[in-house]
Amino acid sequence: MNTSLKKAMLRYAPGLFLLFFYAIFHIALTPDYWDDASYRNALKNSNYNLLLFLYRGYMLQTSRTTIELVIGILSLLPHAVWKILDLLMILLLYKDIEWLQIHIFKITDSKSKWAVSFMLCALPFSIMACAGWMATTTNYLWVISLGWYAVDRVIKNVVLGESLSIKEKILTILAVLYSGCFESVTVLMLIGIITAIFYNKYQHKKVSGVLWIILIIILLFLLEIVICPGNQNRMESDVGYWMNDYAQMNLFDKLRMGMVMAFMHFVSIPSPIFFMLCSSCLAAAIVKKGTVVQKITAAWPLALDILWTCYFMVNYLLGNKTMTYQVPNSLLSGGTDMIEQITMLITIGIWFASLLYSLYWIFETKKDFYLCLAILLIGCLPEVIVGMSATVVNSMLRTVIYLYLCMVLLILCLWKEISALWIRYKWFRVTVIFILVCSIGLNALQMIRHIVIYG
């Protein structure tokens, strides 16, 4: 009995550690300011009538009806209900990644499970409060956790060829009903489900009824997004509130804002996950048998990360910039900002080229490279979509969560390639543990700061 209990504890320890870490902070945080307060006021003004609350939101603000329904219900309940559900969503996200790394990446060792747990603890979780804790988590963290669960089930059925249980089918449909109404996720799911159906057709397999149901749900959500008057109202109001220059911006300006804004997020304040991805690329290149040029190329992502972070740090010490996530000017009008943005665009091009080239020759199995390429593109798509909107300055802060989680997957793939270093060298193990501890500590400090200032 003791042996079984010990095995169970070791098996579930990474998830329990993740849950315990975030539970400490959830005790202190309060979802009652900014958009959280706005939702409660809107519900109060609707005489606590959920149907009226949803109708007004649909007409004036958004087509995310399912999410709005959940937020409306949570606004009627004690904060403890949202806190418990939020912790469960964090745990679900961990399980989503764990399933993928076992069944797709074929990574089954216990160290990798701990790596996922530690990296999720290192995510800058305070970005999940930039519109209020409840409003941001339900619109981003919950959407991603539930959407990822649905993706895992579709992969299980389509790629692995395994049948889904009745329970899995019901949970998958419910997950799509929640996460599929978020605009960028609607686009991703539409692309994914069409690809899955065509893949089944190509394999001459019968398409599961669940896939057709998901497709119908996504198409209905897409129609709702297009015809929703609230979306149009929100776009018009966002232009006046967030970006007065939006009408003067061309396609290049919008793409530039999205790319620069996202990259600034990773380098203006040290980003542990971004740093770990760049470091893992270099470490994998050192292990592999490559040319000197290839190894130098693999060092560029890390070098660029360090150079830009040092640049912003020096500017902060000189008093030229604030110690927070930087925001570029919407229009290029000369001066230092224009030089910064153009240089940053060049940097982004070099970073992507260096990383992708390095991944291509590092992975001996090209299937792994194309899988990582697909993951990186999926992570970038939401940033491109939000970059085209007038709310890029505000929304990018939380939209980068997609790219963060894709980086976690890439790090796991690279760590599989450098496992020999972990086994062979104590200094490498100490370095990795030190980086993870510092990363978790930075996340904790950022959350404590946010809780102290805002709640």
Side-chain angles (χ1 to χ4, degrees), residues 247-454:
Q248 304 172 44
M249 296 173 67
N250 55 35
L251 179 61
F252 172 76
D253 289 326
K254 294 172 184 177
L255 290 172
R256 168 182 53 79
M257 277 294 290
M259 294 168 64
V260 172
M261 189 76 189
F263 192 77
M264 276 188 168
H265 173 88
F266 296 123
V267 297
S268 61
I269 290 181
S271 171
I273 301 298
F274 189 71
F275 177 82
M276 279 189 268
L277 173 60
C278 298
S279 302
S280 300
C281 178
L282 177 57
I286 292 173
V287 171
K288 295 293 179 177
K289 294 180 180 179
T291 65
V292 175
V293 173
Q294 287 176 323
K295 293 180 185 294
I296 292 175
T297 303
W300 270 106
L302 180 61
L304 292 171
D305 177 26
I306 293 173
L307 285 171
W308 274 105
T309 301
C310 290
Y311 169 77
F312 281 105
M313 185 64 68
V314 169
N315 271 277
Y316 165 69
L317 294 174
L318 294 176
N320 299 327
K321 294 184 181 294
T322 56
M323 189 59 179
T324 185
Y325 297 115
Q326 301 298 307
V327 178
N329 293 335
S330 54
L331 295 174
L332 295 177
S333 55
T336 304
D337 179 80
M338 180 176 175
I339 296 172
E340 278 184 0
Q341 291 199 49
I342 292 175
T343 307
M344 197 165 288
L345 287 174
I346 296 171
T347 299
I348 293 169
I350 296 173
W351 187 89
F352 269 102
S354 302
L355 179 71
L356 293 177
Y357 173 71
S358 299
L359 293 178
Y360 184 79
W361 71 265
I362 286 171
F363 291 119
E364 296 176 6
T365 305
K366 296 311 171 193
K367 176 185 173 183
D368 290 339
F369 166 74
Y370 290 113
L371 183 60
C372 288
L373 177 61
I375 290 170
L376 193 58
L377 292 175
I378 290 170
C380 290
L381 186 58
E383 277 70 26
V384 173
I385 293 174
V386 78
M388 303 297 286
S389 70
T391 61
V392 59
V393 172
N394 181 50
S395 299
M396 186 60 75
L397 185 59
R398 46 190 178 267
T399 306
V400 290
I401 187 67
Y402 293 95
L403 198 46
Y404 267 126
L405 293 172
C406 289
M407 287 180 183
V408 169
L409 293 179
L410 263 62
I411 292 168
L412 288 173
C413 289
L414 286 167
W415 281 10
K416 184 172 64 172
E417 299 295 321
I418 57 178
S419 57
L421 282 177
W422 178 272
I423 297 172
R424 194 176 304 168
Y425 299 110
K426 182 179 179 180
W427 65 264
F428 182 77
R429 295 194 295 271
V430 171
T431 302
V432 171
I433 293 171
F434 177 76
I435 292 173
L436 287 170
V437 170
C438 291
S439 302
I440 295 171
L442 179 60
N443 178 32
L445 288 174
Q446 288 177 321
M447 281 195 288
I448 291 171
R449 174 187 175 276
H450 193 97
I451 291 171
V452 169
I453 296 175
Y454 303 108

